[in-house]
Amino acid sequence: MMRSKIHKAVVTEANLNYVGSITIDKDFIEMVGLRKGEKVQIVSNTSGARLETYVIEGERGSKQICMNGAASHLIGEGEEIIIIGYELTNEEITPSVILLDENNNFVEYLEESVELNKLL
């Protein structure tokens, strides 16, 4: 089940020389309930690329979204992405979803629904 989602984040850096992962501003991590080291799916709205990696905490308040290591070949600086965390469970989950603007400023919490998906 989807548990966490950061929608429309913009990649601020792509660093091939870093050892794997995605660096995310600690504020965003806490807002959606992601965990350091958690496996996440990254989807590029810009190129359509999809990949899986793990979370590294970035500096709080930095608005940093950095694709590290080999992932930087698939998703580069300036691309708009979605970051999704999942949880294995038999229970229903109400996901925590945030929307960011083009400068990675928090806009609002979103509720996943069919109607919302038609608007975005």
Side-chain angles (χ1 to χ4, degrees), residues 4-111:
S4 307
K5 181 174 169 184
I6 301 173
H7 195 67
K8 292 193 166 199
V10 175
V11 176
T12 57
E13 181 182 355
N15 186 345
L16 178 61
N17 296 314
Y18 197 92
V19 182
S21 70
I22 183 170
T23 305
I24 304 171
D25 180 320
K26 189 171 181 174
D27 285 338
F28 300 150
I29 289 172
E30 291 177 354
M31 292 173 86
V32 298
L34 288 171
R35 297 179 187 111
K36 184 170 70 172
E38 177 177 350
K39 179 180 175 181
V40 289
Q41 180 182 35
I42 312 298
V43 180
S44 172
N45 286 339
T46 305
S47 69
R50 293 176 175 262
L51 60 94
E52 293 178 338
T53 190
Y54 61 92
V55 173
I56 289 181
E57 288 182 354
E59 181 181 343
R60 185 181 296 282
S62 66
K63 300 178 187 172
Q64 179 181 33
I65 305 288
C66 181
M67 298 304 307
N68 300 311
S72 68
H73 284 293
L74 297 176
I75 298 176
E77 185 174 334
E79 289 193 46
E80 181 184 275
I81 63 171
I82 301 168
I83 303 164
I84 308 165
Y86 298 95
E87 183 171 325
L88 294 174
T89 181
N90 292 328
E91 306 297 320
E92 277 194 41
I93 294 176
T94 301
S96 183
V97 180
I98 61 171
L99 174 65
L100 302 181
D101 69 12
E102 63 277 356
N103 296 308
N104 287 344
N105 294 306
F106 170 77
V107 175
E108 65 182 321
Y109 279 93
L110 299 175
E111 184 177 322

